Amino acid sequence: MEADLEHIRQLYLQKLAGGLSEEEEAELEAAMVDSTVRKMCKELEELYQSPEMLNLLKERPTSKRWDELAEHVMNSQDASRKTRVMVGWAAAAGVAVLIGLGAYLRYDTVQQQSINYSAGRVTIKDRPRDVRLKLAGGKTISLENSGSRKVGDVDLVYEAQSLHFQDKFNNSGQMNTLEVPSKLDYKVRLSDGTEVWLNSMSSLRFPFTFTGSTREVEVEGEAYFKVAADADKPFIVHTPEGKVQVLGTTFNVNAYEPGHMTTSLVDGAVKTSNSGKDVILRPGQEAVWDEGRETRVRKFEPVETLAWMEGVIYFKGADFGMIATALDRWYDLELRVERPELNSLRFHVQLDKHKPIGDFMEILQGSKGFQYRVDGHVLHIF
């Protein structure tokens, strides 16, 4: 209940500032059936409109300052019991307030140090810049330029953003790996006619020919599948976090982050399997699995979920950690936040990789809470 209540707190605070989607509005309305939720929301609304909150917003305090103000209100003899209760709700919720162009501050306890969100990843300067095909025998082929070549009995044809091939004798069942670097995305047509679009910093393991009773591939990162129908050979996508089984369908699978996987079904039917449990999806539904939690099924907006194929990502309530992964994949930038209080910023914004990073940063700066500079492959927020 606590985890759900925390989520509803955040939704209601976003509502007070006018930042909910239709789906979130419906979720909040359903939650209001609970009397505890109604009471919490009523008190949060009163707090949001109170003189204390108005003064707080004018001051735009740091996390530390918020804690001091909250403690003062809680301990003040002049404060009414209701005010203390409301501040208690807000402190528990980590008071979220929308600021500027959709960004909002959540006054949590934050780490008192700068954060490099890209720490631990492969050093940017050491990354390959071209799409590569690693053959089962160990040889690596660069697909940077358009061309064609023969690999054994397989004819490869590759262009700027796509690969297709033909196995003349249908006997190359060993697994090859297609690797897509940062900044790029790539399409491959498999031997059965299935089309796969890979997002940046993603990989696909596949055979030149599906020789068994199933068609099985492996994905790391994010990929969109348009699977060729074949009732006699189920198509199975393996990821580090689980698998998806289909007969003929169109879907997106996102398995970038360890311990997290999202499968979004556009058309047809799929069965996702995570931690030994199966979930069957209908078109317009997605399954969200996080390690240690039950798989959640919810509706999704194809325009937003599949926007990466057009070079766009939609962020909703995203922190710098979420944004850092996109900047890493699409701009080859490490993100370092130098001021601890900025780590609590949240953003509702979209990123278009076809535009300069400066355009995106100007939008983020609508919150008026930070500056930035790009130094080589490092984006500093301060």
Side-chain angles (χ1 to χ4, degrees):
M1 178 63 182
E2 284 301 320
D4 291 340
L5 194 59
E6 168 65 19
H7 177 59
I8 297 303
R9 287 185 184 114
Q10 299 299 334
L11 284 182
Y12 196 75
L13 287 164
Q14 287 178 244
K15 175 183 173 66
L16 292 175
L20 288 187
S21 66
E22 292 183 5
E23 181 181 342
E24 290 168 332
E25 285 277 9
E27 181 181 0
L28 182 58
E29 184 177 347
M32 294 286 279
V33 173
D34 188 294
S35 60
T36 301
V37 171
R38 291 198 304 273
K39 180 174 182 292
M40 175 192 71
C41 292
K42 182 176 182 296
E43 292 175 343
L44 283 173
E45 183 171 6
E46 292 178 10
L47 173 62
Y48 187 83
Q49 298 173 347
S50 69
E52 291 93 343
M53 177 57 79
L54 292 177
N55 290 332
L56 182 64
L57 292 180
K58 291 177 182 178
E59 185 175 329
R60 293 183 63 196
T62 62
S63 177
K64 181 179 179 181
R65 178 59 178 150
W66 165 257
D67 291 338
E68 292 173 354
L69 292 169
E71 182 178 2
H72 173 75
V73 173
M74 295 289 281
N75 295 330
S76 173
Q77 293 182 351
D78 297 329
S80 66
R81 178 183 180 279
K82 177 176 288 188
T83 299
R84 289 195 294 268
V85 169
M86 290 189 293
V87 173
W89 277 123
V95 174
V97 181
L98 283 174
I99 294 178
L101 298 178
Y104 63 93
L105 288 171
R106 187 163 63 96
Y107 298 99
D108 294 317
T109 299
V110 296
Q111 295 181 352
Q112 298 302 310
Q113 59 184 14
S114 64
I115 294 181
N116 180 357
Y117 284 103
S118 302
R121 299 174 185 168
V122 177
T123 303
I124 287 177
K125 66 182 180 63
D126 295 330
R127 292 176 179 168
R129 302 299 175 189
D130 55 336
V131 177
R132 297 183 177 187
L133 178 62
K134 292 186 176 180
L135 302 176
K139 184 177 181 179
T140 298
I141 299 173
S142 172
L143 307 181
E144 182 175 14
N145 301 312
S146 297
S148 63
R149 65 187 301 165
K150 194 175 185 65
V151 178
D153 295 325
V154 179
D155 293 323
L156 299 178
V157 178
Y158 43 94
E159 300 171 352
Q161 287 185 290
S162 68
L163 165 70
H164 65 272
F165 49 84
Q166 182 179 7
D167 180 7
K168 291 183 178 180
F169 298 102
N170 297 322
N171 58 9
S172 300
Q174 291 182 302
M175 301 295 278
N176 312 285
T177 304
L178 180 66
E179 297 180 340
V180 181
S182 57
K183 295 189 175 183
L184 302 179
D185 52 71
Y186 205 77
K187 174 184 175 182
V188 57
R189 182 181 176 89
L190 303 180
S191 61
D192 65 337
T194 292
E195 296 179 327
V196 185
W197 286 260
L198 289 168
N199 202 346
S200 56
M201 292 178 67
S202 299
S203 66
L204 175 74
R205 292 189 72 233
F206 65 96
F208 286 131
T209 298
F210 294 110
T211 58
S213 59
T214 60
R215 297 169 289 166
E216 302 192 34
V217 299
E218 300 175 16
V219 168
E220 291 192 18
E222 184 169 24
Y224 175 82
F225 287 82
K226 187 174 182 180
V227 179
D230 187 343
D232 295 327
K233 281 191 175 185
F235 195 97
I236 300 173
V237 179
H238 297 272
T239 80
E241 314 305 335
K243 68 179 182 180
V244 182
Q245 180 173 334
V246 305
L247 292 177
T249 192
T250 306
F251 66 97
N252 193 81
V253 58
N254 184 325
Y256 271 121
E257 301 299 326
H260 176 83
M261 174 177 165
T262 300
T263 304
S264 308
L265 179 63
V266 178
D267 184 55
V270 300
K271 179 174 69 175
T272 68
S273 301
N274 303 91
S275 302
K277 295 186 178 180
D278 299 337
V279 173
I280 296 177
L281 296 179
R282 297 192 301 271
Q285 292 183 329
E286 65 182 7
V288 182
W289 175 82
D290 290 290
E291 190 172 12
R293 297 184 61 183
E294 292 287 335
T295 299
R296 292 164 287 148
V297 176
R298 66 190 184 191
K299 293 181 180 180
F300 74 99
E301 291 294 335
V303 172
E304 295 184 4
T305 300
L306 305 179
W308 68 264
M309 299 173 68
E310 303 296 330
V312 176
I313 293 180
Y314 289 88
F315 295 106
K316 290 185 176 181
D319 59 14
F320 276 124
M322 298 175 188
I323 291 173
T325 60
L327 297 183
D328 190 12
R329 292 196 298 265
W330 283 5
Y331 286 92
D332 263 350
L333 287 173
E334 295 181 7
L335 179 61
R336 295 180 185 173
V337 177
E338 311 291 353
R339 289 167 50 197
E341 66 270 22
L342 297 178
N343 292 309
S344 57
L345 281 168
R346 299 295 182 270
F347 303 93
H348 292 260
V349 68
Q350 71 180 51
L351 170 64
D352 186 337
K353 74 174 182 180
H354 302 301
K355 295 181 179 180
I357 185 61
D359 289 6
F360 179 66
M361 294 309 299
E362 290 301 319
I363 293 174
L364 293 193
Q365 278 189 305
S367 62
K368 309 283 187 191
F370 66 87
Q371 300 295 319
Y372 77 93
R373 75 174 186 276
V374 177
D375 183 10
H377 286 291
V378 180
L379 172 61
H380 298 269
I381 304 293
F382 56 92

